[in-house]
């Protein structure tokens, strides 16, 4: 509710020109063949993982992809536009990973459902550590749909918003804070715990399977406990 209205108002307020440009970019990008788009996204993920967003080179991404510079610039005018596409791709993959997870219907079922959501989230990013590092770049930006990067990751955020609002309606989640504020709290705490427990995975390097499993269990234990302490009425 809150997040939908915030998104709607933000898009209505003085962004007609920007929205028109974004629509033209989307139309162009839809013409890009899936195999070429996949190569470009994979190259971008590698570059952003290695150098971050600010220091990433658009030309190096193009070289990694093996596509022509003219073609890439036609579909994506700069690396920020490409980063948005990377975020959209990760978001769609994540939603596929949690597909079938239903919103809880009773107060008693809420926190079990919340734990299952977080379990699938952790499994997804442990299986795809390069995506986790991309999300760490996104976390440097405050959650706001005036930010084009957050708009690119809108669908997973909307799902979490519905999940939080369901908990508020059921009396399982405090209702003195809005959904966006709660999401900011969860995101901030999750970022700290990612750095603490998944530094090797989320911030560069690799992590042995047994290390990742131990870190995953600890992350789930701590985040489930902290979330309930922060958010239960």
């Amino acid at each position: 509710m809150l997040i939908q209205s915030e998104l709607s108002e933000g898009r209505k307020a003085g962004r007609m020109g920007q929205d028109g440009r974004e629509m033209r970019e989307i139309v162009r990008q839809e013409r890009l063949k899936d195999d070429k788009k996949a190569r470009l996204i994979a190259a971008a993920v590698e570059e952003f993982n290695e150098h971050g967003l600010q220091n990433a080179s658009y030309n190096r991404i193009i070289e990694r992809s093996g596509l022509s510079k003219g073609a890439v610039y036609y579909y994506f005018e700069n690396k920020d536009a490409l980063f948005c596409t990377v975020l959209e791709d990760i978001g769609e993959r994540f939603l596929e990973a949690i597909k079938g997870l239903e919103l809880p219907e009773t107060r008693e079922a809420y926190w079990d459902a919340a734990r299952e959501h977080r379990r699938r989230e952790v499994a997804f990013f442990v299986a795809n550590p390069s995506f986790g590092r991309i999300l760490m770049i996104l976390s440097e930006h405050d959650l706001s749909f005036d930010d084009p990067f957050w708009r690119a990751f809108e669908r997973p955020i909307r799902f979490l918003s519905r999940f939080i609002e369901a908990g508020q309606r059921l009396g399982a989640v405090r209702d003195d804070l809005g959904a966006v504020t709660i999401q900011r709290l969860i995101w901030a705490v999750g970022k700290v715990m990612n750095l603490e427990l998944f530094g090797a995975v989320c911030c560069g390097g690799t992590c042995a399977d047994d290390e990742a499993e131990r870190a995953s269990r600890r992350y789930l234990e701590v985040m489930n406990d902290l979330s309930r302490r922060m958010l239960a009425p």
Side-chain angles (χ1 to χ4, degrees), residues 5-19 145-146 151:
S5 62
E6 181 176 303
L7 175 64
S8 177
E9 291 304 314
R11 284 181 168 173
K12 288 177 183 176
R15 288 217 305 263
M16 295 301 292
Q18 178 178 324
D19 288 351
F145 283 111
D146 288 329
R151 287 205 304 276

Side-chain angles (χ1 to χ4, degrees), residues 141-228:
H141 296 247
D142 186 39
L143 174 55
S144 168
F145 283 111
D146 288 329
D147 186 319
F149 296 150
W150 278 108
R151 287 205 304 276
F153 204 64
E154 172 188 339
R155 278 179 27 89
I157 295 297
R158 277 182 178 272
F159 179 86
L160 181 56
S161 178
R162 291 195 297 272
F163 202 90
I164 291 168
E165 289 166 352
Q168 290 174 324
R169 288 193 300 272
L170 294 169
V173 174
R174 60 193 303 162
D175 59 6
D176 58 334
L177 298 174
V180 172
T181 299
I182 289 175
Q183 286 175 305
R184 287 188 174 118
L185 282 172
I186 294 171
W187 192 267
V189 173
K191 179 180 178 181
V192 171
M193 294 309 302
N194 278 329
L195 290 171
E196 178 70 21
L197 296 173
F198 289 104
V201 174
C202 292
C203 301
T206 57
C207 193
D209 289 345
D210 57 342
E211 286 183 276
E213 185 176 349
R214 284 196 299 271
S216 297
R217 286 200 304 268
R218 183 61 178 153
Y219 179 89
L220 288 169
E221 289 171 2
V222 173
M223 284 299 294
N224 288 332
D225 178 63
L226 289 176
S227 295
R228 191 156 190 168

